[in-house]
């Protein structure tokens, strides 16, 4: 018996078009999601370069992305494994084209526009996830709006933080885990996306159990073991690339004369904590107050909704469907509530999508014995009107600040002053201590990267930079005394001495937000 292969089909291969019925069915989702997305991009894009004030963290991540683009290594100074580098490698890709076309634009304020792309993708993924978890269109749109229009989101999602990039990838992982097709490759992709999220910001590691909850519910019983095993394998193998990179560079273990991954982990685990978040005198409580200043609804009501969904998961279809996101919100909240540890202001970014999903899901819960439809709609309208009356005025006040305040005028003025050859005739032979928020501006102005434009921390903490300062503070010409520099100078001997032995040449802004350009008086010692 012979077997013959089928003959090739002559002529071009024609792909089947997308069925018209599927497009018609998806049209309401596309229109609703598109309308909310436009609102989010308009609100977040308006005045994005002006508010909030530039932060040293933003400058650091962008400077590291610039270093990658320039082929100078993983960081603009010695990379010491403080964070996995994948976050700013992605940032380098996103900002590559504008940086190539307009090199001077590669600074913090203009490059915030790149975060709009990250926000747009994350918002769409959240809508897709909400629909895949069974929420109706209005509830999915509500989750999307809460995620992108909360004053907390308007302030923090426009900043160049690794957390925003990690949120995009973890949302993609949840979308793949909740795929209605239940394909094994979707779950494998979920594990891969989860690993990228963790390698973008390592604190995403605590969300992985919640991802497994969602995957467990959306896998077929017959293939569940294969799906979960494949996802875990993909996540672990991808994550192992980071320690493997350190091992191949002989930087996995601590030793003399080099940085190490284990040393970086030890630092992160032993760094000074922020205290207990409910202790009024702690730094963590100050962070919590700053969150609640912008938005009390999403953090408080969203967390309460997550607890409610988990409590009703046994009898509520919505509770069961949203068990994964609700678990993520609760886990992240418990991590923030630990008695010791460091709580940064951007931590809440990781919670926002899960709080938004939980709150939208809780709002869409219906009792077992729902009232008749006219009464149900009347109750829903009354609740919506009451919520809007309580929430919208506060959201308006908090968002108006982000849309109208120019907090970065002092930074721009300081940058222009340092670029002016009438003020600094030869930048290439001038050494300036500054924070990373203005570091790239100095590089574009002609100051030598690393040794002329000096990130002020490195003057005390990087031995390679210390070698270029044999006379200590006397080798410094100027100090850009921003709020960050003034805050941290007491713990940095060289920076403190440079500030002490300097005088203000010009000052921009007022109060605590002012930026002083100070000339070091090398002949004086105080």
């Amino acid at each position: 018996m012979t077997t013959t292969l089928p003959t090739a089909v002559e002529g071009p291969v024609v792909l089947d078009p997308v069925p018209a019925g599927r497009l018609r069915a998806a049209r309401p989702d596309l229109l609703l999601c598109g309308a909310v997305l436009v609102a989010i991009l308009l609100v977040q894009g308006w005045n994005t370069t002006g508010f909030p004030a530039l932060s040293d963290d933003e400058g650091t991540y962008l400077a590291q992305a610039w270093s990658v683009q320039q082929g100078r290594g993983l960081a603009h100074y010695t990379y010491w494994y403080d964070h996995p580098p994948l976050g700013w490698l992605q940032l380098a890709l996103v900002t590559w084209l504008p940086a190539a076309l307009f090199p001077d634009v590669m600074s913090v304020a203009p490059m915030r526009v790149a975060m709009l792309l990250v926000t747009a993708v994350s918002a769409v993924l959240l809508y897709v996830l909400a629909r895949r978890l069974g929420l109706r269109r209005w509830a999915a749109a509500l989750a999307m709006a809460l995620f992108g229009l909360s004053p907390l989101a308007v302030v923090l999602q426009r900043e160049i933080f690794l957390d925003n990039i990690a949120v995009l990838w973890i949302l993609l992982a949840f979308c793949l885990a909740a795929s209605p097709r239940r394909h094994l490759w979707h779950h494998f992709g979920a594990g891969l996306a989860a690993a990228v999220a963790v390698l973008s910001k390592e604190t995403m590691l605590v969300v992985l159990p919640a991802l497994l909850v969602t995957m467990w519910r959306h896998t077929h019983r017959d293939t569940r073991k294969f799906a979960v095993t494949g996802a875990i394998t993909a996540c672990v193998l991808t994550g192992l690339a980071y320690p493997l990179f350190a091992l191949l560079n002989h930087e996995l273990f601590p030793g003399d004369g080099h940085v190490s991954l284990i040393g970086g982990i030890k630092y992160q685990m032993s760094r000074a904590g922020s205290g207990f978040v409910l202790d009024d005198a702690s730094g963590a409580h100050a962070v919590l107050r700053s969150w609640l200043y912008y938005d009390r609804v999403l953090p408080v009501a969203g967390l309460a909704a997550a607890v409610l969904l988990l409590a009703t998961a046994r009898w509520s279809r919505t509770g069961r469907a949203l068990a994964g996101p609700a678990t993520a919100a609760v886990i992240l909240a418990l991590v923030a509530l630990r008695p010791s540890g460091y709580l940064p202001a951007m931590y809440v970014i990781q919670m926002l999508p899960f709080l938004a999903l939980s709150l939208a899901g809780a709002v869409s819960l219906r009792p077992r014995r729902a009232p008749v439809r006219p009464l149900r709609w009347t109750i829903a309208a009354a609740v919506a009107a009451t919520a809007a009356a309580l929430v919208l005025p506060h959201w308006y006040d908090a968002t108006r600040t982000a849309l109208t305040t120019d907090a970065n005028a002092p930074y721009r003025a300081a940058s222009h002053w340092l670029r002016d050859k009438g003020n600094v005739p030869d930048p290439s032979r001038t050494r300036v201590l500054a924070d990373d928020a203005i570091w790239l501006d100095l590089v574009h102005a002609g100051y030598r990267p690393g040794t002329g434009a000096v990130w002020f921390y490195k003057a005390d903490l990087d031995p390679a930079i210390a070698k270029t300062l044999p006379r200590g503070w006397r080798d410094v010409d100027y100090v850009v005394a921003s709020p960050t520099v003034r805050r941290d100078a007491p713990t940095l001997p060289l920076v403190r001495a440079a500030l002490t032995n300097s005088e203000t040449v010009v000052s921009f802004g007022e109060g605590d937000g002012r930026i002083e350009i100070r000339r070091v008086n090398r002949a004086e010692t105080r």
Side-chain angles (χ1 to χ4, degrees):
M1 181 177 181
T2 59
T3 302
T4 58
L5 296 175
T7 58
V9 179
E10 296 182 357
V13 177
V14 180
L15 299 177
D16 292 334
V18 178
R22 186 182 301 176
L23 287 176
R24 283 195 298 269
R27 188 176 299 167
D29 283 298
L30 294 174
L31 292 175
L32 187 55
C33 179
V36 178
L37 180 61
V38 168
I40 291 173
L41 294 181
L42 285 175
V43 173
Q44 292 206 19
W46 193 271
N47 194 41
T48 187
T49 63
F51 191 89
L54 303 180
S55 73
D56 197 51
D57 284 338
E58 287 186 278
T60 299
Y61 300 141
L62 190 62
Q64 290 168 324
W66 171 86
S67 178
V68 172
Q69 291 174 352
Q70 299 296 313
R72 300 171 64 93
L74 289 177
H76 55 319
Y77 289 95
T78 302
Y79 172 60
W80 60 283
Y81 297 90
D82 53 335
H83 293 295
L86 187 56
W88 59 83
L89 288 174
Q90 296 171 71
L91 186 60
L93 289 175
V94 173
T95 59
W96 175 80
L97 183 59
L101 296 176
F102 310 101
D104 287 355
V105 173
M106 187 66 174
S107 56
V108 179
M111 283 298 102
R112 280 183 174 177
V113 177
M115 289 295 100
L116 284 176
L117 176 61
V118 175
T119 296
V121 176
S122 298
V124 172
L125 287 173
L126 185 70
Y127 184 91
V128 172
L129 176 59
R131 293 290 285 151
R132 287 188 171 185
L133 295 179
L135 293 186
R136 286 169 287 179
R137 291 190 183 96
W138 67 266
L142 175 61
M144 187 178 176
L146 290 169
F147 169 72
L149 296 177
S150 162
L152 266 177
V154 174
V155 171
L156 292 174
Q157 287 178 359
R158 59 173 57 176
E159 295 190 74
I160 304 172
F161 289 144
L162 302 181
D163 306 71
N164 286 315
I165 298 174
V167 162
L168 183 155
W169 286 102
I170 201 66
L171 286 175
L172 176 60
F174 270 87
C175 284
L176 290 172
S179 171
R181 296 185 181 182
R182 299 182 175 184
H183 198 290
L184 289 177
W185 284 107
H186 293 168
H187 299 112
F188 182 87
L192 182 61
V196 175
V198 174
L199 292 178
S200 299
K201 190 61 183 287
E202 62 275 17
T203 48
M204 275 295 176
L205 187 66
V206 302
V207 180
L208 298 189
L211 177 63
L212 284 178
V213 170
T214 297
M215 187 176 299
W216 189 268
R217 171 171 170 74
H218 287 83
T219 50
H220 194 277
R221 182 173 55 187
D222 295 338
T223 59
R224 181 168 295 152
K225 292 181 181 180
F226 298 101
V228 173
T229 301
I232 294 175
T233 302
C235 185
V236 171
L237 291 180
T238 305
L240 286 177
Y242 186 41
L244 179 61
F245 167 80
L247 179 64
L248 293 176
N249 282 281
H250 306 288
E251 293 175 343
L252 180 60
F253 302 101
D256 295 334
H258 68 83
V259 296
S260 70
L261 173 58
I262 293 178
I265 294 173
K266 286 182 178 178
Y267 168 78
Q268 296 288 7
M269 298 297 292
S270 61
R271 67 189 300 182
S274 306
F276 185 42
V277 72
L278 300 181
D279 179 4
D280 292 347
S282 68
H285 188 77
V287 171
L288 176 62
R289 285 201 307 269
S290 70
W291 295 344
L292 298 181
Y293 168 80
Y294 284 105
D295 187 8
R296 293 186 293 268
V297 175
L298 194 53
V300 177
L303 185 56
V307 175
L308 175 64
L309 289 174
L310 293 178
T312 60
R314 296 188 62 181
W315 59 266
S316 167
R317 180 183 301 175
T318 301
R320 288 192 298 272
L322 294 178
T327 300
V330 171
I331 291 175
L332 288 167
L334 290 176
V335 172
L337 286 170
R338 68 194 190 281
S340 61
Y342 178 61
L343 183 65
M346 68 283 292
Y347 178 81
V348 74
I349 293 173
Q350 303 173 39
M351 301 179 65
L352 291 178
F354 305 112
L355 293 173
L357 265 177
S358 297
L359 185 53
V363 170
S364 66
L365 281 174
R366 287 188 293 180
R368 291 182 176 180
R369 295 183 179 181
V372 294
R373 179 166 296 182
L375 179 58
R376 186 167 72 238
W377 282 110
T378 301
I379 295 173
V383 171
T386 303
L390 294 174
V391 172
L392 292 182
H394 178 72
W395 273 27
Y396 172 78
D397 290 337
T399 304
R400 182 176 58 180
T401 302
L403 299 182
T404 60
T405 303
D406 187 2
N408 294 317
Y411 268 110
R412 288 196 300 273
S415 175
H416 291 158
W417 192 93
L418 290 164
R419 284 172 177 263
D420 191 338
K421 295 299 178 64
N423 301 321
V424 184
D426 189 359
S428 65
R429 301 181 63 183
T430 304
R431 182 173 280 118
V432 181
L433 298 183
D435 64 27
D436 258 355
I438 201 173
W439 190 87
L440 276 173
D441 293 271
L442 296 176
V443 170
H444 295 321
Y447 296 84
R448 298 187 312 276
T451 56
V454 182
W455 185 20
F456 74 105
Y457 286 116
K458 298 299 180 177
D460 279 285
L461 302 179
D462 192 331
I465 300 302
K467 291 179 181 179
T468 68
L469 302 168
R471 298 188 302 158
W473 62 267
R474 291 179 178 84
D475 287 322
V476 176
D477 297 298
Y478 292 95
V479 180
V480 181
S482 65
T484 303
V485 173
R486 291 194 299 271
R487 181 195 65 200
D488 294 341
T491 64
L492 303 168
L494 189 149
V495 178
R496 183 177 67 245
L499 282 175
T500 302
N501 295 282
S502 64
E503 60 183 2
T504 301
V505 178
V506 63
S507 180
F508 303 101
E510 299 178 352
D512 293 337
R514 74 188 185 281
I515 295 179
E516 302 171 346
I517 298 178
R518 302 177 65 91
R519 182 184 290 114
V520 176
N521 300 314
R522 298 179 178 180
E524 298 183 17
T525 303
R526 301 177 189 170

